[in-house]
Amino acid sequence: MELEELIENTLRRKHLEEMMDRPFKEHTPLEGMDNEQIRRFVLFLFEENQNKSRQLDEMIARLDEIGKDLKVANKKIDTLTSELLKTKRNAEKDALRCKKLEIENKVLAERLSLMNAQTYASSKSLKGIDRKKSSKGKHDDKDDFDGTPQSLAPTEEPAEHPQESKTPKKSKERPERKGMTYCKQVVGTPIIHKSDYSRIPEGAVVISSSYKKVRNIVSHIEEHHFEELKIKYPDGRIEKIYLPIKDEPGTELYEEIVPGTHITANLLSYLLFNRYQMATPAHREAKNRLADMDWHTSPQNLLNWADKGALQLNKLIPALKSVALSEGANVNVDETWLRYRTVDEKRKTYMWCLVNKKARIVIFFYEDTEDKDGNQKHGGRSRNILSDFIGEAKLKSLQSDGYNVYTYLDDELVDIDHLCCMAHTRAKFKYAYDQGCESARFFLEMIGKLYSLEDEYKRNQLSPEEIYKRRNDTKTEEVVEKLRNRLYDLLTNKSEISSDLMLRALNYLHTFWAQILAYRNDGEYSINNTAAERAIRPITVQRKNSMFFGSIKGVRNSAVFNTFIETCKQLDISFQDYFCRLIQELKKGRKDYENLLPMTIYK
């Protein structure tokens, strides 16, 4: 606003106040002022207004700067806020992940405690539903006594007639042991030591005589040196031979030398039994057991000798396999994992076990497979290994656990009945029951009834035809129907399932229902896969003691030796005797391997 306009407005305002006879209170009164005074006063107000306007501009400029700083600060705040929100979201995700890990850790801890309880508790068997309660000893109350009368253990009042109060203890009926007596047989051929009658004290008379049985073990290694003659025949042929002296003891050992070694079959079978049945590693055998017998040798020597023995037994595998996979055979199959050492690491692999319970044959096999890229892979768990091993064999049935590999065999082995193991099913419900799932008790009781019926068939020595009839009678069908109804009731109403293990057990039973109860289709079928489980158990013990194999060759040797050791155990014959007999027959040049098997060589 210009100065002239300001003066004009002021004068006009004064004139209006005079006309309206109203005082001007907001500013300094103008009454009594002439024009010059008013002019100076207005000039003063103009200068004051200019100063204030200048200050206002400075404040506006300063506010603009502050605004710019606030914009920068707001941007920083927005950036920090977004980062905080992102951090918060990540923290929430981490918290959720931690919660899931805590739940998984809790589940794993429960499973570990369950496995520890089953492994180290007083009762390891899964047959009983309820755990055995520990009985309190008669001296356990001493720990509860603290010196007060209340802590004293209650004493039983004496009976008025002690003889009448005592009830005879009922002995547990064991019909399977009726007719059995204590084994008192003589071990081997006894060595008789008679008394010297000439040393009887003077005047003493012999009333009777008897022999005191004493057993002793002799464990030592003998070293025999056989003189070999290098002779030249008239036709120019040169040969090394040993000509034994007639009736000289120990000469028969020359015919028991394992080809490619300087040890007998008897000694090699001893070493093999210690390694594959007693689960003694080679270094422990060489540095401890053999060193105690004053034989200091390298562990590698034991492994090399095992290779030579495996070469001889490998010749019999095809003949043994043809008997085990004969037409109409019922076989049990299982697999277990192993580790073997390579140049820079230890790798995991699998060994398979096939059992023909009727023929009493156990075969371990370890085959190579190919991965997706066509590269060769040692061992494996794929169904191709089993299907290739069975080949064109016309089996009647194959029993296994519920591993998904076996389910695909139903599409390949069309004419073979596939059975699953009832024991695996029961174990899953037992784990759920041990974690507090009471609904699993019904399934345990029903499966227990099926096992009781199987025990009754075995105890009565029923024929397969009679067993087939019993497995499909009204009594068995009633138990199976209860199982089926309860299974579908729980799967329909899952709110009653309070455990993840229980849900898994129900899904397992539902998925493999036909295979689990397929044992009812024939009287020769078994309710569980125990035959294969027991046969493969020595492999797991070896795995724990030795931890890993030194090479693939060691794994293959283990399969060969365990095959013949377990088969000999099934046939109740000594592997040591069989191996010695086999080496003797092979050194004679025999190649009729079907007659050199453990079940045919003694015929």
Side-chain angles (χ1 to χ4, degrees):
M1 183 180 293
E2 297 296 334
L3 179 61
E4 291 78 4
E5 295 179 358
L6 181 63
I7 294 172
E8 185 179 356
N9 291 335
T10 305
L11 293 173
R12 190 178 296 165
R13 183 176 180 182
K14 179 182 178 185
H15 177 70
L16 291 173
E17 288 179 354
E18 290 175 354
M19 290 178 64
M20 297 176 66
D21 195 17
R22 187 173 56 191
F24 183 69
K25 298 180 181 180
E26 286 81 358
H27 301 283
T28 305
L30 300 178
E31 293 83 357
M33 290 187 182
D34 55 9
N35 292 335
E36 183 64 20
Q37 289 177 341
I38 292 173
R39 183 176 178 277
R40 284 197 297 269
F41 179 72
V42 171
L43 185 63
F44 171 76
L45 292 178
F46 178 77
E47 291 177 354
E48 286 291 327
N49 188 24
Q50 288 285 69
N51 292 334
K52 291 182 178 178
S53 177
R54 197 179 305 113
Q55 292 177 359
L56 182 61
D57 292 338
E58 293 178 355
M59 290 180 63
I60 291 173
R62 194 175 304 157
L63 288 174
D64 290 339
E65 293 178 357
I66 294 174
K68 292 179 181 179
D69 294 339
L70 286 176
K71 288 181 180 179
V72 174
N74 287 334
K75 289 182 179 180
K76 292 182 179 180
I77 291 173
D78 292 339
T79 304
L80 292 174
T81 303
S82 61
E83 291 179 356
L84 286 174
L85 291 175
K86 186 176 180 181
T87 305
K88 182 180 179 182
R89 287 193 296 268
N90 293 335
E92 291 176 352
K93 292 181 180 179
D94 292 339
L96 183 61
R97 193 180 298 111
C98 290
K99 188 175 181 180
K100 291 181 179 179
L101 291 175
E102 288 178 359
I103 295 174
E104 292 178 0
N105 185 33
K106 184 178 179 181
V107 173
L108 291 175
E110 290 177 353
R111 293 183 183 176
L112 179 61
S113 62
L114 176 61
M115 295 302 296
N116 289 336
Q118 293 174 349
T119 304
Y120 303 109
S122 58
S123 175
K124 302 179 183 179
S125 175
L126 289 174
K127 293 182 179 179
I129 297 179
D130 297 318
R131 292 183 177 179
K132 294 183 179 180
K133 297 180 179 180
S134 58
S135 57
K136 199 170 184 179
K138 61 181 180 179
H139 299 296
D140 292 347
D141 293 327
K142 292 182 178 180
D143 298 332
D144 301 332
F145 179 65
D146 59 1
T148 60
Q150 292 80 7
S151 61
L152 288 172
T155 57
E156 297 182 358
E157 297 181 0
E160 297 180 1
H161 303 284
Q163 295 181 354
E164 296 180 1
S165 63
K166 292 182 179 180
T167 57
K169 185 178 180 180
K170 295 182 179 180
S171 60
K172 184 178 180 181
E173 294 185 1
R174 301 180 66 181
E176 70 277 4
R177 291 192 58 86
K178 288 184 178 180
M180 299 181 66
T181 57
Y182 182 74
C183 181
K184 297 182 180 180
Q185 65 181 10
V186 177
V187 179
T189 304
I191 302 174
I192 306 299
H193 299 276
K194 292 191 174 183
S195 295
D196 186 359
Y197 283 75
S198 63
R199 299 180 59 185
I200 297 176
E202 186 178 355
V205 179
V206 177
I207 300 176
S208 64
S209 66
S210 62
Y211 288 95
K212 183 179 181 61
K213 189 184 299 183
V214 178
R215 293 185 175 93
N216 181 36
I217 183 171
V218 179
S219 180
H220 65 276
I221 297 175
E222 297 177 343
E223 184 170 327
H224 296 254
H225 292 204
F226 294 92
E227 184 182 8
E228 291 184 330
L229 305 177
K230 188 176 183 180
I231 62 174
K232 182 178 182 181
Y233 291 94
D235 57 359
R237 182 168 48 89
I238 299 176
E239 185 182 3
K240 275 187 176 183
I241 61 173
Y242 165 67
L243 302 174
I245 299 176
K246 188 178 181 180
D247 298 332
E248 183 180 4
T251 57
E252 71 280 355
L253 297 178
Y254 189 82
E255 300 300 328
E256 295 183 10
I257 300 176
V258 179
T261 70
H262 59 273
I263 62 175
T264 63
N266 184 34
L267 177 56
L268 182 56
S269 63
Y270 169 83
L271 298 175
L272 294 176
F273 188 86
N274 288 341
R275 178 169 176 78
Y276 296 106
Q277 283 296 296
M278 307 303 292
T280 305
H283 70 277
R284 198 179 303 167
E285 181 75 36
K287 301 301 181 183
N288 295 334
R289 199 194 307 270
L290 298 182
D292 288 343
M293 300 181 188
D294 200 23
W295 185 18
H296 301 279
T297 186
S298 169
Q300 188 60 43
N301 286 337
L302 306 184
L303 301 178
N304 294 338
W305 297 334
D307 293 343
K308 304 299 182 181
L311 288 176
Q312 304 302 320
L313 290 175
N314 259 323
K315 301 174 182 178
L316 281 69
I317 292 294
L320 188 66
K321 179 181 175 181
S322 64
V323 178
L325 300 179
S326 58
E327 185 176 355
N330 302 315
V331 298
N332 299 74
V333 180
D334 197 10
E335 83 287 334
T336 187
W337 63 271
L338 303 168
R339 283 195 180 96
Y340 68 94
R341 183 176 60 188
T342 60
V343 177
D344 54 350
E345 62 179 350
K346 299 179 182 66
R347 296 183 179 178
K348 191 175 182 180
T349 185
Y350 288 88
M351 183 180 293
W352 294 71
C353 175
L354 183 142
V355 180
N356 187 326
K357 191 175 180 181
K358 188 175 182 179
R360 296 194 288 181
I361 295 177
V362 179
I363 298 181
F364 290 88
F365 54 99
Y366 179 81
E367 305 294 338
D368 293 337
T369 57
E370 292 184 356
D371 56 13
K372 297 179 180 179
D373 300 330
N375 301 322
Q376 189 178 21
K377 180 181 178 182
H378 297 296
R381 207 180 184 187
S382 65
R383 66 182 184 275
N384 296 331
I385 296 179
L386 181 58
S387 58
D388 292 345
F389 183 82
I390 294 175
E392 300 297 329
K394 297 180 180 180
L395 301 177
K396 185 178 181 180
S397 69
L398 183 146
Q399 190 166 28
S400 65
D401 54 23
Y403 180 50
N404 58 4
V405 163
Y406 300 108
T407 60
Y408 295 106
L409 289 174
D410 295 340
D411 300 330
E412 300 178 6
L413 309 176
V414 180
D415 298 330
I416 299 178
D417 288 342
H418 180 208
L419 286 73
C420 281
C421 179
M422 182 71 76
H424 282 78
T425 308
R426 188 190 184 284
K428 294 181 181 297
F429 284 105
K430 186 64 167 64
Y431 296 152
Y433 180 75
D434 288 342
Q435 283 196 344
C437 186
E438 287 295 331
S439 57
R441 185 182 184 91
F442 174 81
F443 293 90
L444 294 175
E445 291 176 350
M446 293 299 103
I447 296 175
K449 289 183 179 180
L450 294 177
Y451 269 100
S452 299
L453 295 174
E454 293 298 316
D455 293 339
E456 182 181 348
Y457 308 153
K458 184 178 179 181
R459 187 167 56 250
N460 295 333
Q461 298 180 356
L462 301 181
S463 62
E465 294 77 12
E466 185 64 26
I467 292 177
Y468 171 73
K469 293 180 182 179
R470 295 284 189 91
R471 285 175 174 174
N472 293 274
D473 60 6
T474 307
K475 186 177 181 180
T476 307
E477 189 63 34
E478 182 181 353
V479 177
V480 173
E481 194 62 27
K482 289 181 179 179
L483 266 177
R484 182 188 290 108
N485 293 337
R486 185 57 177 164
L487 171 65
Y488 284 103
D489 288 344
L490 290 178
L491 290 178
T492 305
N493 188 11
K494 293 186 178 181
S495 60
E496 298 182 18
I497 304 175
S498 59
S499 171
D500 180 58
L501 290 178
M502 183 62 183
L503 182 59
R504 292 183 182 181
L506 293 172
N507 290 333
Y508 182 89
L509 179 59
H510 179 259
T511 303
F512 299 103
W513 176 268
Q515 292 89 339
I516 292 172
L517 294 174
Y519 77 95
R520 302 172 61 204
N521 298 337
D522 195 292
E524 292 185 349
Y525 293 168
S526 177
I527 192 173
N528 52 35
N529 199 33
T530 308
E533 297 285 344
R534 290 178 177 174
I536 210 170
R537 190 169 298 168
I539 297 290
T540 61
V541 178
Q542 296 167 28
R543 181 181 64 209
K544 292 180 180 179
N545 280 18
S546 299
M547 293 186 292
F548 58 87
F549 288 94
S551 63
I552 291 296
K553 184 185 290 185
V555 182
R556 299 187 191 280
N557 289 348
S558 175
V560 174
F561 290 126
N562 279 291
T563 292
F564 285 92
I565 290 174
E566 291 299 322
T567 300
C568 288
K569 287 169 63 177
Q570 293 286 331
L571 296 167
D572 294 329
I573 63 177
S574 169
F575 170 73
Q576 188 173 7
D577 294 341
Y578 166 72
F579 190 67
C580 295
R581 181 79 173 269
L582 175 65
I583 295 299
Q584 293 175 2
E585 297 299 324
L586 290 177
K587 294 188 73 173
K588 293 178 182 179
R590 292 184 59 179
K591 294 185 178 180
D592 53 333
Y593 301 129
E594 66 278 0
N595 297 322
L596 297 178
L597 300 177
M599 68 284 300
T600 58
I601 194 171
Y602 293 102
K603 292 183 179 179

